């Protein structure tokens, strides 16, 4: 009986060629991170991502976020540790098997369901109403797309450099993930950052896909429970920013409930004209 051929993935090239020269790259030292679970006899566990051994500096994302990488089926992002979880990716904090397919979801039903979970209980009265004002308890619908934006990839590179130079990301690693588009990176790696809010990260990717299309958004960095997105065409007026802020409230309620305090304040502080959308889940 003939032996079955090995299944090749976009990361297979890095297993054989750690610096990625065969796909037009010159990567720093790094290692593949495998999926959790038992090893089958004679088979190595599937690799989910490649991560640099050491932190990278300004210009790193620009150096590796290339057409050659995309052609190889890989997406480059930054991943950041946090105190007590400096290298959370080495703890195999991934569950790709529990994620569905982003293709199976549409953004509006997803955000409508998220909104229904996030809106304050009617018993909270005026205090709860103030959090979501000027909107009511019914899902307000999708915001209009942004306009007159810069090149989305240029915006992603600029944000990455800004986050590193400012110390916002003090020790980011370069990571390569096999995915067809940046919005699918959290699902492809089985990232569990929003697990206390939503266990199926494919729903998160469905929203990110829509933001890619409407606002030129790009996934730039992920932490244990944080997500940072560049925005090429953000809303420029308060009127446009409010429905976008409502989407953010549905997507990551902690941004408002444990941050700005209301959708109005959040729209002003974090959405209007902002090229950086950051999210976290408690």
């Amino acid at each position: 009986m003939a032996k079955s051929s090995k299944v090749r993935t976009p990361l297979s090239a890095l297993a054989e060629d750690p610096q990625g020269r065969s796909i037009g790259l010159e990567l720093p030292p790094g290692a593949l991170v495998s999926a959790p679970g038992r090893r089958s006899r004679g088979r190595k566990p599937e690799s989910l991502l490649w991560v640099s051994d050491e932190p990278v500096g300004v210009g790193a994302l620009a150096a590796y976020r290339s057409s050659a990488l995309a052609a190889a089926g890989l997406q480059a992002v930054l991943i950041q540790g946090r105190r007590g979880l400096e290298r959370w990716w080495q703890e195999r904090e991934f569950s790709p098997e529990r994620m569905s397919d982003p293709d199976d979801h549409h953004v509006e039903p997803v955000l409508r369901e998220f909104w229904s979970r996030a809106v304050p209980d009617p018993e909270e009265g005026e205090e709860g109403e103030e959090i979501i004002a000027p909107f009511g308890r019914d899902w307000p619908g999708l915001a209009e797309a942004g306009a007159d934006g810069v090149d989305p990839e240029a915006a992603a590179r600029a944000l990455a450099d800004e986050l590193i130079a400012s110390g916002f990301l003090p020790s980011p690693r370069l990571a390569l993930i096999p995915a067809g588009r940046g919005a699918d990176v959290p699902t492809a790696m089985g990232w569990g950052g929003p697990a206390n809010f939503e266990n199926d990260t494919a729903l998160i990717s469905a929203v990110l896909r829509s933001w890619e299309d409407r606002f030129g958004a790009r996934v730039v960095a992920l932490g244990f429970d944080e997500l940072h997105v560049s925005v090429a065409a953000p809303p420029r007026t308060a009127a446009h920013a409010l429905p976008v802020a409502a989407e953010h409230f549905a997507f990551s309620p902690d941004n408002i409930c444990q941050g700005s305090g209301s959708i109005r304040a959040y729209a002003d502080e974090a959405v209007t004209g902002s090229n950086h959308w950051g999210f976290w889940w408690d």
Side-chain angles (χ1 to χ4, degrees):
M1 182 183 294
K3 292 183 179 180
S4 59
S5 59
K6 293 182 179 179
V7 177
R8 293 187 62 82
T9 71
L11 289 174
S12 298
L14 299 183
E16 302 161 1
D17 172 21
Q19 291 191 288
R21 294 190 178 99
S22 63
I23 54 176
L25 302 174
E26 191 69 37
L27 293 171
L32 295 172
V33 177
S34 299
R38 291 184 176 182
R39 296 189 178 199
S40 300
R41 179 176 294 182
R43 293 183 59 186
K44 293 183 178 180
E46 178 187 1
S47 296
L48 293 178
L49 65 159
W50 174 95
V51 183
S52 64
D53 290 340
E54 300 295 333
V56 295
V58 170
L61 201 64
Y64 298 107
R65 199 154 166 146
S66 64
S67 56
L69 193 72
L74 295 168
Q75 301 289 331
V77 299
L78 302 174
I79 59 175
Q80 173 65 46
R82 76 174 191 188
R83 184 174 297 178
L85 291 166
E86 284 78 7
R87 301 188 182 189
W88 53 268
W89 53 90
Q90 292 183 341
E91 302 302 319
R92 306 175 88 185
E93 294 280 351
F94 306 109
S95 300
E97 73 285 349
R98 78 180 183 201
M99 309 307 173
S100 60
D101 188 335
D103 286 341
D104 294 336
H105 307 287
H106 299 283
V107 62
E108 183 133 31
V110 169
L111 284 175
R112 183 183 295 112
E113 169 60 24
F114 285 178
W115 176 268
S116 71
R117 297 186 207 167
V119 293
D121 190 283
E123 293 182 359
E124 295 186 32
E126 290 185 5
E127 184 177 348
E129 292 174 2
E130 289 174 1
I131 292 174
I132 60 175
F135 307 106
R137 297 185 61 78
D138 293 337
W139 162 240
L142 293 180
E144 294 182 1
D148 302 323
V150 299
D151 174 68
E153 284 302 311
R157 294 191 294 268
L159 178 62
D161 288 348
E162 178 185 334
L163 295 178
I164 295 173
S166 68
F168 191 95
L169 298 179
S171 56
R173 307 300 179 97
L174 178 68
L176 306 182
I177 297 94
R181 57 192 292 180
D184 293 351
V185 160
T187 303
M189 63 194 287
W191 181 63
N196 289 338
F197 177 69
E198 174 54 58
N199 283 320
D200 186 359
T201 311
L203 303 180
I204 301 299
S205 288
V207 178
L208 293 172
R209 284 181 173 191
S210 182
W211 289 346
E212 280 186 345
D213 296 339
R214 286 184 288 146
F215 304 105
R218 297 291 185 269
V219 173
V220 169
L222 298 99
F224 178 75
D225 54 5
E226 296 181 21
L227 173 66
H228 299 281
V229 177
S230 63
V231 189
R236 300 294 179 185
T237 66
H240 189 192
L242 277 169
V244 176
E247 292 190 24
H248 287 202
F249 176 69
F251 184 77
S252 177
D254 290 334
N255 276 32
I256 287 84
C257 294
Q258 299 188 46
S260 300
S262 71
I263 285 177
R264 285 190 189 277
Y266 178 80
D268 181 56
E269 297 169 3
V271 179
T272 307
S274 177
N275 296 107
H276 173 205
W277 293 350
F279 305 96
W280 66 284
W281 293 266
D282 191 2

